[in-house]
């Protein structure tokens, strides 16, 4: 596609429910990143994929967070048993590879847990 | 791992003034340094980048300088305009798999 596409753009969920956030990277980009941005804050690294592999999961805040990528393309970030502190914008980004190339961000998924 | 420090956290200037944002990094293996601009409610967008084999790069009113020895790089915006108001993020990449971002600078340009 022309850019990184994320869905849903906005999600309001009740505390305790599970949510899935989807990211469709730029075609041909092998590296995919998930970041979290709380209101007025910086970019918190969550996880990255090189192909379908996730070599570094150390940024995931808790075991309620998981992510997968299939076919070297679409990625899904899943948050189980959501808490209010999970409310944030979840940004996906992709790049040609992980070796010092420009990363391009999607518009983000705004998650609100009530 | 890489650690990127960014200063200042907030910068307020008058229209027409220059603005400078500074970042330092810790991993000498980092070789790619992009800058992103994020307007309110929008995605971060790349505005300029520099690689470690270059000391300075300029694009119209925006320039970036890199000092590899001191491990710091800076963003310079000249003749600031109200539409330059946004949050700016620096990043360092290449030394590890993960681009590491600074905490951001909120630039406010007063008309």
């Amino acid at each position: 596609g022309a850019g990184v596409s994320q869905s849903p753009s906005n999600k309001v969920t009740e505390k305790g429910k599970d949510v899935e956030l989807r990211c469709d990277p730029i075609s041909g980009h092998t590296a995919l990143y998930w970041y979290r941005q709380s209101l007025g804050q910086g970019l918190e690294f969550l996880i990255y994929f090189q192909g379908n592999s996730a070599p570094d999961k150390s940024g995931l805040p808790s075991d309620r967070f998981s992510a997968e990528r299939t076919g070297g393309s679409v990625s899904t970030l899943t948050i189980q048993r959501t808490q209010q502190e999970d409310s944030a914008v979840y940004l996906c980004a992709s790049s040609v590879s992980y070796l010092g190339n420009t990363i391009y961000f999607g518009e983000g998924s705004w998650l609100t847990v009530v | 791992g890489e650690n990127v420090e960014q200063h200042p956290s907030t910068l307020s200037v008058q229209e027409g003034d220059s603005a400078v944002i500074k970042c330092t990094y810790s991993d000498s293996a980092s070789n790619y340094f992009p800058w992103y601009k994020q307007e309110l409610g929008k995605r971060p967008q790349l505005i300029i980048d520099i690689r470690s084999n270059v000391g300075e790069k300029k694009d119209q009113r925006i320039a970036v300088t890199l000092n590899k020895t001191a491990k710091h790089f800076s963003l310079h915006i000249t003749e600031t305009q109200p539409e330059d108001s946004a949050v700016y993020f620096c990043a360092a990449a290449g030394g590890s798999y993960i681009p590491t971002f600074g905490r951001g600078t909120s630039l406010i340009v007063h008309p």
Side-chain angles (χ1 to χ4, degrees):
Chain A
V4 179
S5 178
Q6 291 188 244
S7 62
S9 54
N10 284 284
K11 175 73 175 180
V12 180
T13 190
E14 292 181 350
K15 178 181 172 181
K17 295 285 179 70
D18 297 352
V19 295
E20 282 190 353
L21 308 176
R22 175 189 165 106
C23 173
D24 196 349
I26 293 172
S27 178
H29 281 195
T30 61
L32 185 148
Y33 307 85
W34 284 97
Y35 288 86
R36 180 169 71 173
Q37 188 174 34
S38 300
L39 189 63
Q41 299 300 308
L43 297 162
E44 176 188 4
F45 168 76
L46 298 179
I47 190 171
Y48 101 98
F49 291 89
Q50 180 61 28
N52 292 334
S53 301
D56 190 336
K57 302 180 181 179
S58 63
L60 294 176
S62 75
D63 59 7
R64 295 186 296 104
F65 287 73
S66 63
E68 65 175 14
R69 188 180 186 192
T70 55
S73 182
V74 172
S75 176
T76 302
L77 177 68
T78 301
I79 309 172
Q80 296 179 309
R81 305 181 302 281
T82 52
Q83 304 294 313
Q84 288 185 330
E85 60 263 29
D86 299 334
S87 297
V89 177
Y90 290 83
L91 289 161
C92 177
S94 71
S95 69
V96 171
S97 78
Y98 63 89
L99 292 174
N101 289 284
T102 302
I103 71 169
Y104 299 89
F105 284 90
E107 292 285 1
S109 290
W110 294 63
L111 175 65
T112 303
V113 182
V114 297
Chain B
E2 176 66 274
N3 181 48
V4 176
E5 299 284 339
Q6 182 172 348
H7 299 281
S9 57
T10 304
L11 180 58
S12 183
V13 300
Q14 288 295 128
E15 182 177 0
D17 288 351
S18 294
V20 180
I21 303 170
K22 298 181 179 181
C23 290
T24 60
Y25 62 100
S26 61
D27 188 349
S28 57
S30 289
N31 58 12
Y32 175 61
F33 306 91
W35 286 87
Y36 287 81
K37 175 183 180 182
Q38 187 178 31
E39 297 177 348
L40 192 62
K42 303 289 187 181
R43 75 179 85 186
Q45 292 199 304
L46 180 75
I47 55 171
I48 195 167
D49 56 12
I50 191 167
R51 295 196 179 270
S52 58
N53 57 349
V54 175
E56 183 175 359
K57 184 176 179 180
K58 189 173 181 180
D59 182 4
Q60 299 183 348
R61 296 186 297 108
I62 295 173
V64 58
T65 58
L66 171 65
N67 183 325
K68 284 187 61 180
T69 303
K71 297 199 193 69
H72 67 69
F73 56 113
S74 300
L75 177 71
H76 304 251
I77 306 174
T78 58
E79 301 171 25
T80 53
Q81 301 167 3
E83 51 266 38
D84 294 330
S85 297
V87 178
Y88 292 80
F89 292 97
C90 64
S96 72
Y97 301 141
I98 306 159
T100 302
F101 286 83
R103 296 181 66 83
T105 296
S106 178
L107 174 63
I108 303 165
V109 181
H110 299 280

